[in-house]
């Protein structure tokens, strides 16, 4: 499937729910590529007004409720930390808005399924903002694999290690705020494994925990019915080159440093000869491509695309639930009874 060039005609109007760092990155990419950012909403009017001034957003709302009630907003980008995605997405969907929800999509598969079910019932789009999926180099990698360029895929290897704030009170280290490496960083290599190989038949996971009780580093092996494997790992207190590989019987694909960004990759034959070198300049950061896919779905009347269908988002959350079970990482949201959306 060929994706758009990541631009918009501006007819679909966006609302930004949340005013943090990731909200700013997405809004900047939207504005630079022709998307209409109509409004922003925050829990405080001051924060919303500062954000609107900085990014040139027409309307600043002092609550999430006012944002989703805005009749000039068609789709809401949910940029709050993942413990709040479930409630925020349900709020927007119940107001009749499509939602692009940051990853990790939710805290667990149960919450993800509730969002997907509500969106389907209302005929709205609920798309996970796994921006890497929609980047041009990932589109090309899928094409090469489908064409059999590297033969039968046997293994995916992907890493996401960063040296992040060590403060125990920081949300990344706080279990009450969904802290840990898995949901913030591990979501990238796990989603990549799903993208290339699909849902695993079984998972074996291991982790080292921090003093605050979250996973400091986690590694997992995904096993597939046909014998393929994915090896994924993440860490929040030590950095690495963050490369990824897809290994096949006739060659391999090597994605360069920070593979989840729009970076080059090289295709090698089994003897090491270079088959293809892919480099494509991407304007802005690259987050506009997921927004372009969102707009395509809205215009076409589809509620599920092929690059990241809702069922796969739920399956990814279920895989992370399984990993958390194995490593002993639990969150308050795991104990919430079915139907309680508070």
């Amino acid at each position: 499937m060929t994706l758009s060039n990541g631009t918009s005609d501006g007819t679909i109007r966006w609302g930004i729910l949340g005013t943090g760092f990731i909200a700013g990155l997405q809004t900047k990419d939207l504005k630079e590529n022709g998307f209409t950012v109509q409004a922003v909403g925050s829990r405080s009017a001051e924060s919303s007004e500062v954000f609107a001034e900085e990014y040139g957003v027409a309307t600043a709302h002092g609550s999430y409720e006012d944002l989703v009630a805005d009749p000039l907003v068609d789709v809401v980008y949910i940029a709050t930390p993942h413990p709040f995605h479930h409630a925020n997405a349900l709020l927007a969907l119940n107001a009749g808005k499509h939602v692009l929800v940051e990853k990790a999509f939710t805290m667990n598969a149960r919450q993800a399924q509730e969002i997907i079910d509500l969106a389907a019932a209302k005929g709205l789009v609920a798309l996970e903002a796994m921006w890497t999926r929609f980047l041009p180099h990932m589109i090309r990698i899928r094409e090469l694999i489908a064409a059999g360029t590297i033969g039968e895929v046997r293994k995916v290897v992907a890493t996401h290690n960063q040296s992040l704030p060590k403060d125990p009170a920081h949300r990344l280290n706080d279990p009450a705020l969904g802290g840990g490496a898995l949901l913030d960083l591990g979501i990238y290599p796990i989603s990549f494994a799903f993208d290339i190989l699909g849902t695993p038949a079984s998972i074996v996971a291991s982790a080292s925990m921090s003093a605050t009780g979250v996973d400091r580093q986690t590694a997992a092996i995904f096993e597939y019915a046909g014998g393929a494997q994915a090896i994924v790992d993440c860490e929040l207190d030590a950095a690495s080159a963050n490369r990824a590989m897809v290994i096949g019987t006739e060659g391999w694909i090597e994605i360069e440093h920070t593979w989840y960004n729009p970076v080059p990759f090289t295709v090698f034959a089994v003897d090491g000869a270079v088959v293809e070198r892919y480099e494509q300049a991407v304007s802005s950061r690259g987050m506009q491509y997921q927004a372009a896919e969102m707009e395509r779905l809205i215009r076409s009347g589809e509620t599920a695309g092929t690059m990241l269908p809702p069922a796969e988002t739920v399956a990814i959350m279920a895989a992370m639930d399984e990993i958390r079970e194995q490593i002993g990482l639990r969150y308050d949201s795991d104990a919430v009874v079915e139907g309680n959306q508070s």
Side-chain angles (χ1 to χ4, degrees):
M1 174 183 176
T2 302
L3 193 61
S4 76
N5 61 3
T7 61
S8 172
D9 65 5
T11 57
I12 292 174
R13 300 160 298 185
W14 288 76
I16 310 298
L17 192 152
T19 55
F21 176 71
I22 195 71
L25 293 177
Q26 180 68 78
T27 301
K28 185 173 184 289
D29 279 10
L30 291 172
K31 297 280 288 185
E32 289 176 353
N33 290 279
F35 295 80
T36 296
V37 183
Q38 178 65 36
V40 59
S42 174
R43 289 172 297 181
S44 78
E46 181 182 4
S47 177
S48 185
E49 288 163 5
V50 168
F51 188 95
E53 177 67 24
E54 180 175 357
Y55 294 100
V57 178
T59 305
H61 292 291
S63 72
Y64 299 152
E65 290 78 10
D66 287 348
L67 173 70
V68 302
D70 189 331
L72 298 181
V73 169
D74 303 306
V75 54
V76 174
Y77 168 63
I78 294 174
T80 49
H82 41 262
F84 309 107
H85 290 174
H86 177 251
N88 296 158
L90 295 181
L91 180 72
L93 289 167
N94 278 318
K97 312 301 185 185
H98 306 280
V99 291
L100 178 64
V101 185
E102 261 306 325
K103 65 324 178 199
F105 191 73
T106 50
M107 295 296 289
N108 53 47
R110 175 188 58 78
Q111 289 185 342
Q113 190 66 62
E114 288 179 1
I115 292 171
I116 298 308
D117 288 348
L118 181 60
K122 291 183 170 292
L124 297 168
V125 181
L127 181 65
E128 180 184 355
M130 173 45 74
W131 68 298
T132 303
R133 283 284 183 111
F134 307 98
L135 292 172
H137 74 299
M138 290 297 174
I139 306 299
R140 181 57 183 153
I141 285 170
R142 289 186 207 109
E143 292 172 347
L144 289 163
I145 291 171
T149 304
I150 61 169
E152 179 187 347
V153 175
R154 292 287 178 82
K155 189 175 294 182
V156 169
V157 182
T159 291
H160 192 182
N161 299 326
Q162 293 194 37
S163 182
L164 298 173
K166 309 298 190 294
D167 180 0
H170 193 281
R171 71 162 189 88
L172 286 166
N173 304 308
D174 186 351
L177 294 176
L182 181 65
L183 265 61
D184 258 275
L185 305 179
I187 178 64
Y188 283 88
I190 289 169
S191 184
F192 183 52
F194 269 80
D195 192 6
I196 304 302
L197 291 171
T199 302
S202 63
I203 299 172
V204 178
S206 177
S208 296
M209 309 304 284
S210 73
T212 60
V214 300
D215 64 313
R216 179 178 61 78
Q217 61 179 20
T218 295
I221 300 174
F222 291 3
E223 299 280 357
Y224 294 85
Q229 293 178 321
I231 302 170
V232 298
D233 72 272
C234 56
E235 182 161 356
L236 54 68
D237 62 355
S240 73
N242 292 329
R243 295 176 180 267
M245 285 193 297
V246 182
I247 302 167
T249 54
E250 300 300 324
W252 72 92
I253 299 170
E254 186 170 332
I255 315 174
E256 295 188 4
H257 175 62
T258 61
W259 62 268
Y260 42 84
N261 285 299
V263 296
F265 69 80
T266 305
V267 185
F268 296 93
V270 71
D271 63 359
V274 174
V275 175
E276 178 175 323
R277 168 75 174 171
Y278 182 90
E279 295 184 67
Q280 177 172 323
V282 169
S283 65
S284 306
R285 184 172 186 254
M287 296 176 74
Q288 69 271 23
Y289 291 97
Q290 62 185 0
E293 171 65 1
M294 185 71 179
E295 291 198 351
R296 186 194 70 78
L297 290 169
I298 293 170
R299 288 193 184 90
S300 68
E302 300 174 66
T303 56
T306 58
M307 278 185 290
L308 187 50
E312 187 167 318
T313 287
V314 175
I316 289 168
M317 291 309 308
M320 293 202 290
D321 287 353
E322 171 63 23
I323 292 170
R324 290 199 297 111
E325 179 69 24
Q326 291 188 27
I327 66 175
L329 177 60
R330 290 188 60 79
Y331 297 118
D332 291 345
S333 54
D334 296 329
V336 174
V337 295
E338 194 74 27
N340 183 350
Q341 300 170 355
S342 61

